[in-house]
């Protein structure tokens, strides 16, 4: 008697999406000095993104935050999370040149460790809810394996013309 069972085959893994800073600038309207992500190392459509921010002493905010003891402002870490989430959500928007993703809320922000020049911030954002024009995302930022910050951010997709008024 021969075994006729076929071996189980796994579904092919979704292609890993990576973006460099030029790709990011084609998606987001942000530019230096306010573009706070340098690359995307993983993106799962509508679900999750992992982005990198290389923190250097040349960042303009370090001149005043704080002289002699440079620390990346927590609000900018949260902004980096929002920008990563914006990349994730904007990849689903065909007419993104006529749209903006705006912050509508920040909840449960916690800062666990200072982020300083020389650190590489790994930003992970997971979509909790996305309903066409509004979303809620959980963001976490790590330096190495250490949690540096976390926050729940909400946003809304708006027409760029409406936002300009």
């Amino acid at each position: 008697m021969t075994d006729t069972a076929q071996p189980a085959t796994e579904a092919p893994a979704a292609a890993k999406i990576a973006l460099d800073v030029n790709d990011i600038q084609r998606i987001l309207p942000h530019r230096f000095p306010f573009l706070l992500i340098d690359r995307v190392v993983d993106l799962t459509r509508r679900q999750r993104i992992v982005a990198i921010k290389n923190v250097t002493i040349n960042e303009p905010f370090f001149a005043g935050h704080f002289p002699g003891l440079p620390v990346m402002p927590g609000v900018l870490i949260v902004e980096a999370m929002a920008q990563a989430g914006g990349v994730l959500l904007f990849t689903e928007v065909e007419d993104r040149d006529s749209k903006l993703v705006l912050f509508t809320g920040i909840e449960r922000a916690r800062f666990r460790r200072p982020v300083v020049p020389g650190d590489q911030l790994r930003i992970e954002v997971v979509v909790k809810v996305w309903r066409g024009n509004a979303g809620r995302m959980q963001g976490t930022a790590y330096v190495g394996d250490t949690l540096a910050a976390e926050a729940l951010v909400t946003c809304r997709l708006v027409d760029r013309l409406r936002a300009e008024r």
Side-chain angles (χ1 to χ4, degrees):
M1 205 157 132
T2 62
D3 186 5
T4 59
Q6 297 294 319
T9 57
E10 294 182 24
K16 193 173 193 176
I17 298 173
L19 306 170
D20 67 17
V21 72
N22 296 311
D23 298 322
I24 293 166
Q25 288 184 31
R26 283 190 277 280
I27 297 169
L28 289 181
H30 303 76
R31 295 297 179 266
F32 179 84
F34 210 68
L35 180 60
L36 296 173
I37 56 175
D38 296 318
R39 69 187 143 105
V40 171
V41 294
D42 190 19
L43 186 151
T44 303
R45 291 184 57 207
R46 299 181 184 149
Q47 294 178 21
R48 180 176 184 271
I49 191 169
V50 179
I52 300 296
K53 164 67 177 155
N54 294 307
V55 182
T56 70
I57 193 62
N58 297 329
E59 309 285 350
F61 49 81
F62 283 138
H65 198 266
F66 299 100
L69 184 63
V71 175
M72 185 173 182
V75 69
L76 294 181
I77 298 170
V78 174
E79 173 65 24
M81 291 176 195
Q83 288 181 18
V87 169
L88 176 62
L89 298 179
F90 253 154
T91 58
E92 301 300 317
V93 177
E94 289 183 25
D95 59 339
R96 63 179 166 248
D97 290 339
S98 67
K99 306 285 186 192
L100 285 175
V101 176
L102 299 178
F103 253 135
T104 57
I106 304 168
E107 300 172 45
R108 296 192 288 267
R110 298 285 181 264
F111 304 97
R112 309 290 184 187
R113 160 201 199 282
V115 176
V116 298
D119 285 345
Q120 184 177 73
L121 203 57
R122 186 180 77 252
I123 302 147
E124 300 180 8
V125 177
V126 175
V127 174
K128 297 295 185 182
V129 178
W130 177 247
R131 291 196 178 102
N133 68 346
R136 178 181 298 266
M137 299 172 283
Q138 177 65 47
T140 51
Y142 296 88
V143 175
D145 293 329
T146 303
L147 180 64
E150 58 190 324
L152 186 65
V153 297
T154 55
C155 63
R156 178 166 299 279
L157 184 68
V158 299
D159 289 324
R160 188 180 286 260
L161 292 176
R162 183 177 143 208
E164 290 175 357
R165 286 185 233 170

